[in-house]
Amino acid sequence: MSIRRNEPCPCGSGKKYKQCCLKKKKVVELGQVKQEQFFQMKKRLSERLAEEVLGFYSFLEYQALMKEFRERMGVSDIMDGYGHHWLMFFYRHPAFGGLRGIEWYNRKRGRRDEPALQRMAQVWESLVPRLIQHVDFNERGVLVEDLFTHERFHMPYCETLPEPQPWGGAFCLLEERDGGYYMNGVAATVGPGKLKEAKKLLKSHLDQTGDSYEKASIDLFPETTGALLQEAEWLVKEESKLVHTTLVYSMTDVNQVMTVVHQTGRLDMEEWDGHSGKGSLVANRYRYEDNLANGSVYLNEVEGIIELAGNQLTFQSIDQRAAAKFQQLLMSIPQADLIKEVKESRKVPAGVQASSFSVALEEGVPPVFAHFAHQAMHTKDLHLPLPQFNGKAPAEMTELKKHAELEQWLRELEYASYQNTKSQTKEKWTADFNQLRKALNRPLSPFTTLREERESAIVRLEDSVEHTAGWTKEDLELWDEMGLPVHEIKNEYARDLLDFFQEKGAGKSSNTFYKYRLGVQVISHFFVEEKIERTTGILPEQWEALIAYYYLEFNHDATTNQAKGFLTVVKSFAAWLDRREGTAHGPIVKQLVKELETPILQAITILEAYTPYHERRYEFSHHMGQFRRIIEKGEVPGQIVKGYFRVKSVTASYVNFVKIDEPGQVFKTTVPKETLSLIQSGMIFCGSLAQKTNWKIYSAERVYPKQAGRAVPERRLPSGH
């Protein structure tokens, strides 16, 4: 329907259409026409520049220069446009008298162009590459910031800039036209991580040479562009191991077995026809709420997948602790017999937190909100150590006032989320990173849809077993912060652990928080493994097992400082129980710690000698680290024996090991003197021995003091690793 000039304007201003939006429409149309004319003129000049500059080179010279460009970039598979841009704007050819292509063009050919093109060419000659980053936007365009000068420029939306990319940017020439700035030539928009690398490269050159920024940015155009376009190398520098476990059972009574599994309250069957079916074991249930969506997203944190086919049950999980618990559960059922166990490993980037979720969307909620919910789940724990912070957590980085590092991390997250979801929504909605920013006391992101008005939350739902009676929402949230499975709330000791942590760890400094968090996690693991239901009935030998065995068994990345902190927590917990329950655990635990502290620290020192902390931290492949050290010494191992070994005896120059599940053979093992002095008879060693001429320790995964063997019978130790 057309609107007549003298009719009221449909925008509701009360003015006539000709005096209101008709004028605005004409302004917009005029701006579009001027922008189109500008791009057409740029195209004509670019074609002439390319014809003169690129056409100057012979075939062989052109190929040699393009090869040089690719080598300097460090990227072989790159489109020719980048090389052409370099030759036209930055490369100084001897035949041009040391002039850049655009400078030579202006002196040779430019004077024959029409005045408008001559003026544009003169502008091009004055341009200097800028490292820019998107920092804000509005309905007309994007605001970018020069990462060196911190100047800000408005870039109108156009064919080369259709939309803002959260914290993305480029290394490019910026050309001004009618108050707006446009990219000139070829440039790739990349994320904030790549921008940081490029800035580091340029800054390092400036610091070393004292060159002006203009000279450095022109001379280092290939290297700087290469820093933006090279594939990330951190994926191969640090890797950890993700283990996928498959357990296959034969059942003589399907109903009896599945009844026991069902009684855990965590079984969620999706399919069942009376003979076969599929389901999952759910650890926690969550609801994601977002004021941008017309409904909620429901997430189940899946510990493992269960498949039933006749009398066979298959359980699969990427959570080794969940797999071990499921295996322990079915060990108590005579009608279930484990017939196959398979562990498959694959390498993943260091620090990756393996988790699996099933997702359900309420009717009318777009699929992109499933991604937003996942994003919120993976960033909700601000006390989780991250590799990019050298093992510190975001909350700790806030306390340490590491604002620049936090901001960089947030920007990289937001850019990656945008890239993953931009094709899933026509509305160009983005995930809510402002809730995360609020929690970390950081400035809000302008790229979050609705900006400061956006509200979202992850809400943990009540456990399906309904063992949370008497637990407040705050209790459940604290239990989640403690990192303990929600189904363990049903145990009688759960309230003691919660109250103990509430008093000792919650709300304290990051160091104290983490010390007590680890402590209650180990104690909880110990309670489960020892089938302890009440804290009043812990026996002295069980306390010894906790200290000498379960702490080291639970922590593959134990350190001497961490161990001292754990022992402090155990003493504190025993004394706390005495005050609360009237028990007499305190003196027993105090004496055990006095006896065991030195042996435990010695065991960790031995482990550190063979598998350094940085190799254990993210469950790295331990034997690969040791293999690398053996290769560096020029020794390639021959026969390798893996398992649990007990130290039978120690001499002045070697250690006699016996394999726990095959005690007949004695392995006379050479050990360096500085380590030999720490080894004692009765110690338990988990790892590999290798023999070429003499037996040597090839890899180490755990080392336990001799008291661990007394506290935990050998039949309780795993038969392999």
Side-chain angles (χ1 to χ4, degrees):
M1 181 182 69
S2 62
I3 305 171
R4 295 182 179 180
R5 292 168 52 82
N6 291 315
E7 288 182 350
C9 188
C11 76
S13 65
K15 299 179 181 179
K16 292 182 179 181
Y17 178 54
K18 67 180 182 182
Q19 296 172 333
C20 190
C21 287
L22 178 59
K23 288 184 177 181
K24 296 178 184 178
K25 182 180 178 182
K26 289 181 177 180
V27 169
V28 171
E29 290 174 348
L30 179 60
Q32 291 173 343
V33 170
K34 292 176 69 175
Q35 189 182 85
E36 179 63 27
Q37 290 174 343
F38 172 61
F39 275 99
Q40 288 176 358
M41 190 161 63
K42 281 167 62 76
K43 184 174 182 293
R44 290 201 307 274
L45 182 55
S46 295
E47 290 172 348
R48 294 183 185 182
L49 181 61
E51 181 181 353
E52 293 293 328
V53 175
L54 302 181
F56 175 86
Y57 301 110
S58 68
F59 173 78
L60 292 179
E61 189 176 18
Y62 168 80
Q63 294 297 333
L65 286 170
M66 292 298 286
K67 181 175 182 290
E68 176 190 341
F69 178 74
R70 287 191 291 269
E71 289 174 348
R72 289 179 60 184
M73 279 189 66
V75 181
S76 57
D77 184 17
I78 190 72
M79 68 180 189
D80 290 343
Y82 288 97
H84 294 172
H85 190 52
W86 173 60
L87 291 174
M88 291 190 293
F89 284 91
F90 310 114
Y91 178 65
R92 300 180 186 275
H93 196 284
F96 295 166
L99 298 176
R100 295 181 291 128
I102 181 63
E103 294 172 338
W104 174 77
Y105 175 85
N106 281 338
R107 286 150 184 75
K108 175 183 179 293
R109 165 68 188 266
R111 294 170 184 172
R112 291 178 286 169
D113 289 335
E114 55 265 40
L117 285 186
Q118 287 188 38
R119 288 192 295 272
M120 177 174 277
Q122 290 297 326
V123 169
W124 286 11
E125 182 178 328
S126 68
L127 301 179
V128 175
R130 292 180 181 270
L131 191 62
I132 60 170
Q133 183 173 38
H134 297 198
V135 295
D136 205 343
F137 72 101
N138 56 29
E139 70 280 359
R140 296 181 295 110
V142 178
L143 187 67
V144 300
E145 180 176 306
D146 185 311
L147 294 182
F148 279 89
T149 67
H150 302 293
E151 297 172 271
R152 292 195 169 192
F153 307 94
H154 172 72
M155 298 184 67
Y157 296 125
C158 60
E159 58 189 44
T160 59
L161 184 67
E163 62 188 17
Q165 298 201 27
W167 313 111
F171 185 57
C172 63
L173 300 174
L174 281 187
E175 183 177 3
E176 191 272 337
R177 187 73 170 193
D178 296 330
Y181 287 79
Y182 299 83
M183 273 195 266
N184 185 312
V186 181
T189 301
V190 298
K194 286 297 183 182
L195 294 176
K196 181 181 178 182
E197 291 178 22
K199 182 179 179 181
K200 181 179 178 181
L201 184 149
L202 274 173
K203 189 175 186 305
S204 175
H205 179 85
L206 292 171
D207 292 341
Q208 292 174 12
T209 64
D211 287 347
S212 66
Y213 174 82
E214 178 179 351
K215 183 178 186 305
S217 62
I218 290 174
D219 291 348
L220 266 67
F221 177 80
E223 289 79 6
T224 307
T225 303
L228 297 179
L229 298 180
Q230 288 172 8
E231 292 185 5
E233 296 181 359
W234 63 271
L235 293 177
V236 296
K237 285 184 178 178
E238 293 186 322
E239 293 178 324
S240 60
K241 185 171 62 175
L242 180 66
V243 179
H244 180 277
T245 303
T246 302
L247 304 173
V248 182
Y249 292 86
S250 174
M251 300 176 291
T252 57
D253 188 336
V254 176
N255 182 58
Q256 178 62 31
V257 173
M258 294 309 297
T259 296
V260 173
V261 177
H262 173 72
Q263 287 174 347
T264 65
R266 299 185 295 115
L267 178 63
D268 201 0
M269 290 300 294
E270 300 165 10
E271 304 172 11
W272 177 250
D273 61 8
H275 302 283
S276 62
K278 185 176 181 180
S280 57
L281 282 186
V282 178
N284 298 296
R285 304 174 193 272
Y286 298 90
R287 183 177 68 249
Y288 174 71
E289 301 171 345
D290 193 321
N291 65 343
L292 194 61
N294 294 320
S296 299
V297 180
Y298 293 89
L299 304 98
N300 288 339
E301 186 178 1
V302 176
E303 285 190 339
I305 302 296
I306 293 176
E307 293 186 24
L308 295 168
N311 292 325
Q312 184 168 295
L313 180 153
T314 302
F315 176 84
Q316 300 183 64
S317 178
I318 56 174
D319 184 336
Q320 294 187 72
R321 186 176 179 184
K325 285 188 177 182
F326 185 80
Q327 192 170 2
Q328 184 180 25
L329 175 66
L330 264 64
M331 283 177 62
S332 65
I333 310 174
Q335 296 86 353
D337 182 29
L338 180 63
I339 59 176
K340 185 177 181 182
E341 179 178 359
V342 178
K343 292 184 180 290
E344 299 175 326
S345 301
R346 64 184 179 92
K347 293 180 179 179
V348 297
V352 164
Q353 302 295 318
S355 58
S356 179
F357 293 89
S358 61
V359 180
L361 300 159
E362 286 189 346
E363 187 176 353
V365 177
V368 72
F369 283 91
H371 173 85
F372 295 166
H374 273 287
Q375 182 69 62
M377 281 298 306
H378 289 300
T379 53
K380 71 181 180 67
D381 188 356
L382 301 181
H383 295 283
L384 184 69
L386 297 176
Q388 52 266 64
F389 295 149
N390 294 320
K392 291 183 172 58
E396 188 176 1
M397 295 293 283
T398 298
E399 288 185 10
L400 295 173
K401 297 183 179 179
K402 301 289 186 179
H403 302 312
E405 291 90 337
L406 272 175
E407 186 64 32
Q408 181 70 22
W409 173 65
L410 288 166
R411 292 183 177 191
E412 289 180 18
L413 282 178
E414 192 166 6
Y415 178 82
S417 174
Y418 165 79
Q419 293 296 326
N420 290 333
T421 61
K422 65 180 181 179
S423 62
Q424 299 182 29
T425 168
K426 295 179 181 178
E427 291 80 5
K428 300 302 177 186
W429 290 327
T430 58
D432 182 11
F433 281 90
N434 281 343
Q435 298 307 311
L436 182 58
R437 284 176 168 273
K438 290 174 185 176
L440 294 171
N441 196 29
R442 298 301 304 145
L444 299 186
S445 167
F447 300 106
T448 291
T449 307
L450 300 183
R451 301 200 178 196
E452 65 276 1
E453 297 178 5
R454 183 76 169 272
E455 295 290 341
S456 66
I458 285 283
V459 180
R460 190 173 63 178
L461 303 178
E462 188 171 312
D463 184 43
S464 59
V465 196
E466 297 182 355
H467 284 292
T468 59
W471 286 55
T472 66
K473 178 182 177 182
E474 290 72 23
D475 290 339
L476 294 172
E477 289 175 350
L478 181 59
W479 187 262
D480 186 51
E481 287 185 26
M482 292 161 65
L484 298 177
V486 69
H487 61 267
E488 289 188 14
I489 290 176
K490 66 180 182 293
N491 298 312
E492 292 189 27
Y493 60 75
R495 173 54 71 175
D496 284 338
L497 288 181
L498 180 79
D499 292 347
F500 172 68
F501 185 79
Q502 174 73 60
E503 180 179 325
K504 300 291 186 178
K508 304 296 192 298
S509 69
S510 289
N511 286 338
T512 302
F513 177 92
Y514 268 107
K515 180 173 71 176
Y516 280 87
R517 185 176 189 259
L518 173 64
V520 296
Q521 287 177 349
V522 176
I523 293 169
S524 173
H525 174 66
F526 157 69
F527 284 161
V528 171
E529 295 297 317
E530 290 289 314
K531 297 182 173 59
I532 295 173
E533 296 182 358
R534 296 180 179 85
T535 54
T536 54
I538 306 174
L539 302 174
E541 57 266 31
Q542 288 176 316
W543 283 113
E544 185 178 44
L546 167 64
I547 298 168
Y549 176 74
Y550 283 108
Y551 164 67
L552 294 168
E553 185 262 343
F554 184 85
N555 289 288
H556 65 277
D557 58 349
T559 66
T560 54
N561 284 336
Q562 184 198 78
K564 291 175 183 178
F566 170 73
L567 295 175
T568 299
V569 172
V570 174
K571 288 193 294 184
S572 176
F573 181 61
W576 184 86
L577 286 176
D578 289 352
R579 293 193 300 272
R580 181 184 178 100
E581 305 290 352
T583 54
H585 297 314
I588 296 171
V589 172
K590 185 177 181 180
Q591 182 61 31
L592 285 170
V593 169
K594 183 178 179 181
E595 295 172 2
L596 292 172
E597 181 172 3
T598 297
I600 288 172
L601 298 183
Q602 288 177 335
I604 294 172
T605 303
I606 295 168
L607 178 61
E608 177 69 17
Y610 287 97
T611 310
Y613 171 70
H614 67 85
E615 290 185 14
R616 293 179 278 125
R617 186 172 189 172
Y618 303 113
E619 297 186 359
F620 289 170
S621 179
H622 304 199
H623 66 278
M624 287 302 294
Q626 184 62 24
F627 179 74
R628 183 178 63 254
R629 290 189 290 277
I630 291 175
I631 291 297
E632 289 172 353
K633 295 177 182 178
E635 300 179 4
V636 180
Q639 181 184 0
I640 296 178
V641 179
K642 302 179 180 179
Y644 280 79
F645 303 83
R646 185 184 298 280
V647 177
K648 184 177 182 181
S649 60
V650 183
T651 72
S653 56
Y654 58 84
V655 175
N656 286 318
F657 284 108
V658 292
K659 201 161 184 286
I660 285 178
D661 54 355
E662 299 174 11
Q665 181 178 358
V666 176
F667 299 88
K668 185 178 177 180
T669 306
T670 304
V671 177
K673 289 183 179 181
E674 61 271 18
T675 305
L676 186 65
S677 62
L678 300 173
I679 299 178
Q680 298 179 356
S681 297
M683 275 187 163
I684 296 174
F685 168 86
C686 171
S688 306
L689 302 180
Q691 182 186 47
K692 187 175 183 183
T693 52
N694 301 317
W695 286 102
K696 292 185 177 182
I697 295 175
Y698 177 64
S699 69
E701 295 186 7
R702 299 286 195 283
V703 179
Y704 302 95
K706 63 181 181 181
Q707 291 86 348
R710 183 174 69 216
V712 182
E714 292 176 4
R715 61 183 172 79
R716 292 282 302 280
L717 292 172
S719 59
H721 66 284

